[in-house]
Amino acid sequence: MMVPGLNGAISLVRLLKNNTALKTEEYKEEQQQVNNVAVCITTYKIADDYYCHISSVDPGAIISRAIGSTMEQARDKALVKASQRIKPS
């Protein structure tokens, strides 16, 4: 279950199913440039949803997060948000 925080950011509330925590699947990390800024793109699946968060490589602050029904959809949504937030240098 996703719960928006006070600032609108999405966080994941850990659910228990049959007394076992849901498992992260298809975890993937990669580095890429967005508007000439090095970022780390992390994608993974929990239950039926795919999650993506993009953080700066240095100092590691999260720039954007997104959820989608496919890994590509979550990644694309997060990349759009990141490109809007990172101004070209």
Side-chain angles (χ1 to χ4, degrees):
M1 171 176 23
M2 299 169 301
V3 178
L6 295 175
N7 65 356
I10 297 170
S11 62
L12 181 67
V13 175
R14 181 168 254 176
L15 296 176
L16 295 178
K17 188 175 185 179
N18 298 329
N19 293 329
T20 59
L22 295 177
K23 294 181 182 179
T24 300
E25 301 173 289
E26 301 180 43
Y27 183 89
K28 182 179 176 185
E29 244 182 46
E30 61 183 296
Q31 289 194 6
Q32 182 177 316
Q33 296 281 324
V34 174
N35 293 335
N36 295 320
V37 174
V39 297
C40 179
I41 302 171
T42 305
T43 52
Y44 50 92
K45 180 181 180 184
I46 297 178
D48 295 329
D49 294 317
Y50 287 87
Y51 298 84
C52 179
H53 69 261
I54 298 178
S55 58
S56 58
V57 172
D58 183 39
I62 293 179
I63 298 166
S64 66
R65 298 178 190 185
I67 300 170
S69 55
T70 67
M71 184 176 287
E72 293 77 20
Q73 184 185 47
R75 188 177 184 278
D76 291 346
K77 285 180 180 180
L79 279 169
V80 166
K81 289 179 187 178
S83 359
Q84 292 169 346
R85 293 175 180 169
I86 299 172
K87 301 298 178 203
S89 53

